[in-house]
Amino acid sequence: MVNDVMAATNQDLLMESVHLCDKINLGTLPPTVKSRTKTEATIPVNDGGYVFVFTFGSVAFFNVGKAQQMEFLKALGPAPEDAPTDDFRISVRPEERDKVMFGQVVLPEVSEARLRLVARALAQSTALETVERMVEGLVERSAKMTDVMKLGGRVPGHEKDLIRFIGTALDARRSVLSSLAVLDAPEATWDD
């Protein structure tokens, strides 16, 4: 359970997420892991802070300072410069019921299980942004190629370029399909 002060008073807290890569091996995490499943790990940090690490390549931070976030990410390996990030406000309102809105969730109390659900949703969002960027790039390349074929009546570039593009498109399709597993609901969703 997160400290009692957070459950007893109105507070606005921030959860932040970054998508680093296609896959994170949870076995390489520090020994401070509190809980671990096949797809995620929870690491307590400081007083009431948590790091949530997901095998699909995203990390979510709750109540963790920027310097400590950077230190943790650095330990996982180099992150791409343009890694997708997102944040989500968690409003603790003891007198209210659970409520999810755009960019914010209202909770009557903060628990590790509730934070884990919010972290998963935010982490999925950053992972899917990576897929979205990849698909947008392929659509742009495809549009340029089809325009040349439509207007010039020929396949642009060399045969090897076309084969590479087809390979890239097929790999993207595979990646998108495997990324859809990112949307699988965790067991806690069905428990409560």
Side-chain angles (χ1 to χ4, degrees):
M1 179 78 170
V2 179
N3 65 31
D4 294 332
V5 175
M6 292 169 62
T9 61
N10 288 350
Q11 291 188 6
D12 286 323
L13 305 162
L14 194 64
M15 184 171 286
E16 301 167 275
S17 176
V18 60
H19 183 74
L20 300 174
C21 55
D22 289 339
K23 187 166 183 67
I24 295 176
N25 179 355
L26 300 182
T28 64
L29 295 176
T32 55
V33 171
K34 181 178 180 185
S35 66
R36 186 186 327 241
T37 68
K38 288 186 346 186
T39 60
E40 63 189 54
T42 302
I43 304 167
V45 180
N46 299 337
D47 184 30
Y50 287 97
V51 178
F52 301 94
V53 183
F54 299 90
T55 55
F56 53 79
S58 291
V59 178
F61 298 95
F62 173 76
N63 205 23
V64 178
K66 288 288 186 195
Q68 200 167 10
Q69 288 180 25
M70 298 309 288
E71 186 179 311
F72 186 86
L73 293 174
K74 188 176 180 181
L76 286 177
E81 275 188 37
D82 64 340
T85 61
D86 203 356
D87 58 44
F88 204 71
R89 189 171 65 196
I90 298 174
S91 297
V92 182
R93 303 288 183 263
E95 71 286 351
E96 293 188 36
R97 297 177 53 122
D98 293 346
K99 207 178 342 181
V100 179
M101 299 169 279
F102 184 76
Q104 175 185 0
V105 64
V106 176
L107 300 173
E109 64 182 12
V110 176
S111 67
E112 183 183 325
R114 287 180 170 174
L115 289 174
R116 193 177 304 115
L117 286 174
V118 174
R120 176 174 274 279
L122 188 60
Q124 288 171 334
S125 174
T126 55
L128 290 174
E129 186 176 333
T130 299
V131 172
E132 183 180 313
R133 288 179 183 182
M134 177 183 56
V135 170
E136 283 176 3
L138 282 173
V139 168
E140 285 179 25
R141 281 183 62 195
S142 177
K144 289 176 184 174
M145 290 178 76
T146 56
D147 285 347
V148 169
M149 287 188 279
K150 180 176 79 175
L151 298 172
R154 62 178 179 79
V155 176
H158 301 291
E159 184 179 319
K160 282 186 178 182
D161 296 332
L162 182 59
I163 291 171
R164 281 189 190 110
F165 177 75
I166 291 169
T168 301
L170 290 173
D171 184 55
R173 179 180 182 271
R174 179 200 49 79
S175 180
V176 168
L177 291 175
S178 67
S179 294
L180 291 178
V182 165
L183 298 175
D184 290 345
E187 289 298 317
T189 304
W190 306 114
D191 293 343
D192 185 7

